[in-house]
Amino acid sequence: MTEDLTMDHLVPAGIALAAGLLGAFLLRMLLRWLGRHAERTRWGGDDVIVDALRTVVPWAAVAGGVAGAAAALPLTRTVQHNVNQVLTVLLIFVVTVSAARVIAGLVRTVTTSRSGVAGSATIFVNITRVLVLAIGFLVVLQTLGISIAPMLTALGVGGLAVALALQDTLANLFAGIHILASKTVQPGDYIRLSSGEEGYVEDINWRQTTVRALSNNLVVIPNGQLAKTNMTNFMRPEQQLTILVQAGVAYDSDLEHVERITIEVVAEVMTEITGAVPEHEPAVRFHTFGDSRIGFTVILGVGEFSDQYRIKHEFIKRLHKRYREEGIRIPAPARTVALQQGTVVIPQQRAGEDTVPSA
C-alpha cells in the first residue's frame, strides 16, 4: 500500500463493488426477460445468443465492479497490475466459453434448419467449439505475457507427427467435412451403399456416419469408406420418388379395360393412403408378351422412401380385389412337359420344386 487505508478509500470501493453486483443482478433479470421473448420466435439462434449473454454479461458487470473497487483502494502498482490481470483472464475465459457456446449453437441451428431434421452435423459443431476455445487460450497466454510463438512452432512440428500417426482418423475427418460441404449426404437422408447397408442418416461426426436402418438398428460407417463407396441417396435431388410395380394379365383380357381399372385403383391409392402423392398422374405401361401373360408396369408416386412398402401393400391388395370383381384373370405361370404318353401341363413352381410324374 502506498498510503493508509481510510474510509475515503473504502466507501468508493464498496460503492463500485455494490454497483457491479447490482448491475449483474439487473442485467440477469433483463436477459431472462429477453429469453422469454426469444422463445416465442421461430428462429432458434436468438435463444442461443441470449442464453450465452446471460452468462457473460453478469460476470462482466461483477468484474467491472471489482476493477473499480481495486482502483479506489490505495494498492501498490504490482498488486494493482496482478488484480487487473486476474480480472482480465477471468473475463477472457467467460467470453471465450460463451462465444464457443454461441457459435456452436448457431452452427447447430443452421445445419438443423438446412437438413430439416432434428439431428445435427456434430462434426462442424465440435470443430467450431475447439477452434474458439483454442483462440481464447492463446489470447489468455498473450495477456499473461507468455510468448505463443514457440508454442505455435512446437504445435506445428508435433502436428506433423500426429498427422502421420493418425492418418486414418484424419482421413475420416476430412472425408466427413467433404461429404457435408458437398451436400451429397445430410442428416435425415435415406441412403443405400453398394455394399448393401441402407437407412436414414442420423449424424455425421468427426470420424463416422451413423445410419439408422428400417429395423431401427444403427449402422456405423467410417467417413472414409462412405466417401469411397458408390451410394444412392433417395432424398436428393428431391424427396418424392416413383416406384414400379410389375404385374400381368391373361392373353384373353381386354387391355383397354385392364388399363382403365388399374388407373382407377392407382388414383384411389394415391388419394387415400398416407405417404402417397395425390397429384401423381396414374401410369400403366404394357411391355412384354410373356409365356403365359402380358406383362405391364404400374408407376406409383410416394412422398418418401419408406412409404413405398405401405403403398405397395395397399395397391396390390386393392388391385387383386378389383380384378376379381371385374373378372380379369391373372394367370399362374405354366410349363409344358413332353412325356412318352403325351403332353402334360404342369403349373410353374418355385425353383427346385418342379416334379415330373412317372409314365
Side-chain angles (χ1 to χ4, degrees), residues 316-345:
I316 292 175
K317 284 201 311 181
R318 298 189 183 198
L319 186 66
H320 181 262
K321 179 180 178 181
R322 188 68 185 278
Y323 277 5
R324 293 185 64 180
E325 294 174 353
E326 299 291 335
I328 299 175
R329 190 165 58 90
I330 304 177
R335 174 178 297 177
T336 301
V337 180
L339 302 178
Q340 292 180 353
Q341 289 80 0
T343 301
V344 178
V345 177

Side-chain angles (χ1 to χ4, degrees), residues 6 14 28 38 41 73 93 98 114 142 164 166 242-243 263 347:
T6 64
R28 189 168 183 82
T41 62
L73 294 175
F93 173 77
S98 300
R114 290 188 176 182
Q142 193 71 26
L164 293 175
L166 300 176
T242 57
I243 58 174
I263 288 177

Side-chain angles (χ1 to χ4, degrees), residues 29-359:
M29 293 297 102
L30 176 62
L31 291 170
R32 184 175 299 175
W33 177 79
L34 290 176
R36 288 196 296 268
H37 283 271
E39 291 175 355
R40 302 173 186 172
T41 62
R42 285 180 148 185
W43 185 49
D46 52 0
D47 299 318
V48 176
I49 295 174
V50 172
D51 184 62
L53 291 178
R54 191 181 300 175
T55 301
V56 65
V57 172
W59 279 104
V62 171
V66 173
L73 294 175
L75 303 177
T76 62
R77 181 176 299 177
T78 302
V79 174
Q80 184 74 39
H81 175 72
N82 292 336
V83 170
N84 291 336
Q85 271 200 333
V86 170
L87 293 175
T88 302
V89 169
L90 176 63
L91 190 59
I92 292 174
F93 173 77
V94 174
V95 170
T96 301
V97 173
S98 300
R101 185 184 303 174
V102 168
I103 298 176
L106 292 176
V107 171
R108 181 181 291 108
T109 301
V110 171
T111 54
T112 301
S113 62
R114 290 188 176 182
S115 60
V117 294
S120 63
T122 56
I123 182 173
F124 285 149
V125 176
N126 293 335
I127 290 176
T128 302
R129 183 182 291 113
V130 170
L131 287 177
V132 174
L133 292 176
I135 292 173
F137 177 71
L138 294 177
V139 172
V140 168
L141 294 180
Q142 193 71 26
T143 302
L144 295 176
I146 301 175
S147 177
I148 62 175
M151 182 178 297
L152 294 178
T153 303
L155 288 176
V157 177
L160 179 60
V162 171
L164 293 175
L166 300 176
Q167 292 185 25
D168 292 339
T169 301
L170 292 176
N172 289 326
L173 172 63
F174 289 109
I177 295 175
H178 171 72
I179 289 171
L180 287 175
S182 63
K183 296 184 179 180
T184 55
V185 179
Q186 294 289 314
D189 290 352
Y190 191 96
I191 63 173
R192 177 184 294 161
L193 306 184
S194 59
S195 55
E197 296 89 350
E198 62 178 274
Y200 290 96
V201 178
E202 289 285 302
D203 191 23
I204 304 175
N205 59 30
W206 64 275
R207 182 180 181 275
Q208 63 205 16
T209 298
T210 305
V211 176
R212 177 173 56 85
L214 293 179
S215 60
N216 214 30
N217 297 323
L218 293 180
V219 181
V220 179
I221 306 170
N223 291 333
Q225 178 181 340
L226 184 64
K228 295 177 182 178
T229 188
N230 295 331
M231 176 185 61
T232 303
N233 191 333
F234 292 95
M235 297 293 192
R236 301 185 184 276
E238 59 182 21
Q239 186 170 333
Q240 294 183 359
L241 67 153
T242 57
I243 58 174
L244 307 179
V245 178
Q246 305 298 329
V249 293
Y251 273 93
D252 58 359
S253 302
D254 182 352
L255 298 187
E256 294 291 340
H257 180 59
V258 170
E259 183 177 7
R260 179 174 58 82
I261 296 301
T262 305
I263 288 177
E264 290 178 2
V265 175
V266 173
E268 177 184 324
V269 170
M270 291 295 100
T271 55
E272 295 181 5
I273 304 303
T274 303
V277 182
E279 60 272 16
H280 171 74
E281 182 179 355
V284 177
R285 297 293 181 265
F286 295 97
H287 55 72
T288 305
F289 288 101
D291 294 336
S292 58
R293 63 176 68 188
I294 297 178
F296 61 92
T297 300
V298 182
I299 304 175
L300 305 174
V302 297
E304 192 263 330
F305 182 83
S306 62
D307 294 331
Q308 64 175 303
Y309 303 105
R310 177 174 59 257
I311 293 172
K312 282 183 179 180
H313 169 77
E314 289 294 333
F315 172 71
I316 292 175
K317 284 201 311 181
R318 298 189 183 198
L319 186 66
H320 181 262
K321 179 180 178 181
R322 188 68 185 278
Y323 277 5
R324 293 185 64 180
E325 294 174 353
E326 299 291 335
I328 299 175
R329 190 165 58 90
I330 304 177
R335 174 178 297 177
T336 301
V337 180
L339 302 178
Q340 292 180 353
Q341 289 80 0
T343 301
V344 178
V345 177
I346 300 177
Q348 179 69 46
Q349 301 180 16
R350 290 180 297 178
E353 296 183 359
D354 294 339
T355 58
V356 179
S358 58

